[in-house]
Amino acid sequence: MNVQGNTSGPSRLTATLIGSIAIILWGTLALLTTWTGKIPPFQLVASTFAIAFLVALTKWILRRENPLRHLRHPPIVWIFGIAGLFGYHLFYFIALKNAPPVDASLIAYLWPLLIVVFSALLPGEDLRWYHAAGALMGLGGCALLVTRGGALSFDLDHSWGYAAAGLCALIWSSYSVISRRFASVSTDTVGWFCGGVAFLAGIAHLGTETTLIPTDAGTWLAVIGLGLGPVGIAFFAWDIGMKRGEIKLLGVLSYGAPLISVLLLIAFGGVPATLTIGLACLAITGGAVVASLGLFTGKGT
């Protein structure tokens, strides 16, 4: 399944730090999305991924690179990349439309835990107790965040939404871990993945939604911000982190994304600060510390 090519790149530590940038940027996703108003979901996906593609295209032009050189990959690479990015967003929206948002969000956020578990199947990787413990602590903190400390009440009437949320978690964790098997595929290729996702989302939008053209600068800035940050730079940074970084540690650190998201919403007045959020902060931070114990014991991660 490996694709042969140039395998040079940043060091493991540098790649991990770059991958962490994606987590920070994903933490801005909720706030920026709330600022996009009533733009339909697939229109938003198409717009933001188109911006991400234009960012990559601009980089190629400025560096006088031929964009077509990043198209020369076997079909499996394109199926993997576009299906991973588009499939996650497709099932995420299906989940939110067919199940309570709190329940769907918690199920979808199983993907960091699955990354930690699935990474043990990769060559040269293993699963230690502190990886699992840290991931479970992070999941517990995430559960506190999305439920606000309340109880979950799963209803079989929403089973299709729950299944879609589960597929979200499975698709994104699989995409992330399998990226390691394509380590020799240039991260620039993600730019074309984004172009493919924008195209598919555009078709889905035209077939199922009514186009809404923003009339104020704030909404346009939010859309551009999404395309540059959590949809743009984030996916390129994550690709580097998954291919060359400490994959299990990045999996656990991913629970920081919903934490950053809530903290930003608090800062901008969208969510009140509560004891539950404080406990979630401790659980997620503690989980990250536990998962990184290998860095301090000399055993790696």
Side-chain angles (χ1 to χ4, degrees), residues 269-284:
V271 172
T274 65
L275 176 60
T276 299
I277 292 176
L279 293 175
C281 290
L282 289 176
I284 292 173

PDB file of all heavy atoms in Angstrom, residues 269-284:
ATOM      1  N   GLY A 269     -18.287  35.437  24.304  1.00  0.00           N
ATOM      2  CA  GLY A 269     -19.613  35.581  24.871  1.00  0.00           C
ATOM      3  C   GLY A 269     -20.661  34.609  24.393  1.00  0.00           C
ATOM      4  O   GLY A 269     -21.852  34.782  24.685  1.00  0.00           O
ATOM      5  N   GLY A 270     -20.256  33.555  23.688  1.00  0.00           N
ATOM      6  CA  GLY A 270     -21.245  32.615  23.174  1.00  0.00           C
ATOM      7  C   GLY A 270     -21.611  31.517  24.152  1.00  0.00           C
ATOM      8  O   GLY A 270     -22.665  30.892  24.029  1.00  0.00           O
ATOM      9  N   VAL A 271     -20.723  31.255  25.129  1.00  0.00           N
ATOM     10  CA  VAL A 271     -20.943  30.168  26.093  1.00  0.00           C
ATOM     11  C   VAL A 271     -20.521  30.655  27.473  1.00  0.00           C
ATOM     12  O   VAL A 271     -19.450  31.269  27.611  1.00  0.00           O
ATOM     13  CB  VAL A 271     -20.105  28.915  25.707  1.00  0.00           C
ATOM     14  CG1 VAL A 271     -20.169  27.860  26.807  1.00  0.00           C
ATOM     15  CG2 VAL A 271     -20.616  28.332  24.392  1.00  0.00           C
ATOM     16  N   PRO A 272     -21.321  30.405  28.524  1.00  0.00           N
ATOM     17  CA  PRO A 272     -20.925  30.816  29.875  1.00  0.00           C
ATOM     18  C   PRO A 272     -19.864  29.892  30.459  1.00  0.00           C
ATOM     19  O   PRO A 272     -19.847  28.682  30.185  1.00  0.00           O
ATOM     20  CB  PRO A 272     -22.241  30.717  30.660  1.00  0.00           C
ATOM     21  CG  PRO A 272     -23.020  29.662  29.949  1.00  0.00           C
ATOM     22  CD  PRO A 272     -22.681  29.822  28.493  1.00  0.00           C
ATOM     23  N   ALA A 273     -18.954  30.443  31.239  1.00  0.00           N
ATOM     24  CA  ALA A 273     -17.937  29.627  31.915  1.00  0.00           C
ATOM     25  C   ALA A 273     -18.585  28.892  33.080  1.00  0.00           C
ATOM     26  O   ALA A 273     -19.344  29.473  33.851  1.00  0.00           O
ATOM     27  CB  ALA A 273     -16.807  30.520  32.421  1.00  0.00           C
ATOM     28  N   THR A 274     -18.306  27.580  33.193  1.00  0.00           N
ATOM     29  CA  THR A 274     -18.899  26.768  34.248  1.00  0.00           C
ATOM     30  C   THR A 274     -17.855  25.850  34.867  1.00  0.00           C
ATOM     31  O   THR A 274     -16.762  25.656  34.312  1.00  0.00           O
ATOM     32  CB  THR A 274     -20.054  25.899  33.703  1.00  0.00           C
ATOM     33  OG1 THR A 274     -19.501  24.944  32.765  1.00  0.00           O
ATOM     34  CG2 THR A 274     -21.109  26.748  33.019  1.00  0.00           C
ATOM     35  N   LEU A 275     -18.209  25.269  36.019  1.00  0.00           N
ATOM     36  CA  LEU A 275     -17.344  24.297  36.677  1.00  0.00           C
ATOM     37  C   LEU A 275     -17.134  23.083  35.786  1.00  0.00           C
ATOM     38  O   LEU A 275     -16.033  22.515  35.736  1.00  0.00           O
ATOM     39  CB  LEU A 275     -17.961  23.868  38.007  1.00  0.00           C
ATOM     40  CG  LEU A 275     -17.212  22.770  38.787  1.00  0.00           C
ATOM     41  CD1 LEU A 275     -15.800  23.224  39.135  1.00  0.00           C
ATOM     42  CD2 LEU A 275     -17.991  22.382  40.043  1.00  0.00           C
ATOM     43  N   THR A 276     -18.173  22.683  35.068  1.00  0.00           N
ATOM     44  CA  THR A 276     -18.061  21.523  34.174  1.00  0.00           C
ATOM     45  C   THR A 276     -16.981  21.737  33.131  1.00  0.00           C
ATOM     46  O   THR A 276     -16.184  20.840  32.833  1.00  0.00           O
ATOM     47  CB  THR A 276     -19.414  21.261  33.467  1.00  0.00           C
ATOM     48  OG1 THR A 276     -20.403  20.970  34.452  1.00  0.00           O
ATOM     49  CG2 THR A 276     -19.301  20.093  32.503  1.00  0.00           C
ATOM     50  N   ILE A 277     -16.947  22.933  32.561  1.00  0.00           N
ATOM     51  CA  ILE A 277     -15.917  23.234  31.555  1.00  0.00           C
ATOM     52  C   ILE A 277     -14.530  23.205  32.198  1.00  0.00           C
ATOM     53  O   ILE A 277     -13.559  22.725  31.605  1.00  0.00           O
ATOM     54  CB  ILE A 277     -16.200  24.599  30.902  1.00  0.00           C
ATOM     55  CG1 ILE A 277     -17.470  24.510  30.044  1.00  0.00           C
ATOM     56  CG2 ILE A 277     -15.017  25.055  30.056  1.00  0.00           C
ATOM     57  CD1 ILE A 277     -17.900  25.817  29.419  1.00  0.00           C
ATOM     58  N   GLY A 278     -14.435  23.691  33.438  1.00  0.00           N
ATOM     59  CA  GLY A 278     -13.160  23.641  34.148  1.00  0.00           C
ATOM     60  C   GLY A 278     -12.685  22.212  34.360  1.00  0.00           C
ATOM     61  O   GLY A 278     -11.495  21.893  34.171  1.00  0.00           O
ATOM     62  N   LEU A 279     -13.601  21.329  34.740  1.00  0.00           N
ATOM     63  CA  LEU A 279     -13.256  19.917  34.925  1.00  0.00           C
ATOM     64  C   LEU A 279     -12.853  19.272  33.600  1.00  0.00           C
ATOM     65  O   LEU A 279     -11.934  18.442  33.553  1.00  0.00           O
ATOM     66  CB  LEU A 279     -14.435  19.175  35.540  1.00  0.00           C
ATOM     67  CG  LEU A 279     -14.800  19.553  36.982  1.00  0.00           C
ATOM     68  CD1 LEU A 279     -16.072  18.833  37.418  1.00  0.00           C
ATOM     69  CD2 LEU A 279     -13.646  19.213  37.932  1.00  0.00           C
ATOM     70  N   ALA A 280     -13.547  19.656  32.528  1.00  0.00           N
ATOM     71  CA  ALA A 280     -13.201  19.129  31.209  1.00  0.00           C
ATOM     72  C   ALA A 280     -11.793  19.559  30.814  1.00  0.00           C
ATOM     73  O   ALA A 280     -11.025  18.766  30.245  1.00  0.00           O
ATOM     74  CB  ALA A 280     -14.214  19.611  30.178  1.00  0.00           C
ATOM     75  N   CYS A 281     -11.444  20.805  31.128  1.00  0.00           N
ATOM     76  CA  CYS A 281     -10.091  21.305  30.851  1.00  0.00           C
ATOM     77  C   CYS A 281      -9.045  20.441  31.556  1.00  0.00           C
ATOM     78  O   CYS A 281      -8.026  20.062  30.971  1.00  0.00           O
ATOM     79  CB  CYS A 281      -9.949  22.752  31.302  1.00  0.00           C
ATOM     80  SG  CYS A 281     -10.870  23.959  30.330  1.00  0.00           S
ATOM     81  N   LEU A 282      -9.305  20.141  32.829  1.00  0.00           N
ATOM     82  CA  LEU A 282      -8.366  19.330  33.605  1.00  0.00           C
ATOM     83  C   LEU A 282      -8.237  17.930  33.022  1.00  0.00           C
ATOM     84  O   LEU A 282      -7.124  17.382  32.919  1.00  0.00           O
ATOM     85  CB  LEU A 282      -8.833  19.252  35.060  1.00  0.00           C
ATOM     86  CG  LEU A 282      -8.717  20.528  35.890  1.00  0.00           C
ATOM     87  CD1 LEU A 282      -9.313  20.313  37.280  1.00  0.00           C
ATOM     88  CD2 LEU A 282      -7.251  20.958  36.006  1.00  0.00           C
ATOM     89  N   ALA A 283      -9.368  17.332  32.638  1.00  0.00           N
ATOM     90  CA  ALA A 283      -9.341  15.979  32.094  1.00  0.00           C
ATOM     91  C   ALA A 283      -8.583  15.917  30.769  1.00  0.00           C
ATOM     92  O   ALA A 283      -7.751  15.020  30.551  1.00  0.00           O
ATOM     93  CB  ALA A 283     -10.772  15.462  31.905  1.00  0.00           C
ATOM     94  N   ILE A 284      -8.850  16.869  29.886  1.00  0.00           N
ATOM     95  CA  ILE A 284      -8.200  16.868  28.579  1.00  0.00           C
ATOM     96  C   ILE A 284      -6.701  17.169  28.711  1.00  0.00           C
ATOM     97  O   ILE A 284      -5.857  16.513  28.090  1.00  0.00           O
ATOM     98  CB  ILE A 284      -8.887  17.875  27.642  1.00  0.00           C
ATOM     99  CG1 ILE A 284     -10.302  17.382  27.319  1.00  0.00           C
ATOM    100  CG2 ILE A 284      -8.085  18.068  26.361  1.00  0.00           C
ATOM    101  CD1 ILE A 284     -11.138  18.373  26.538  1.00  0.00           C
TER     102      ILE A 284
END
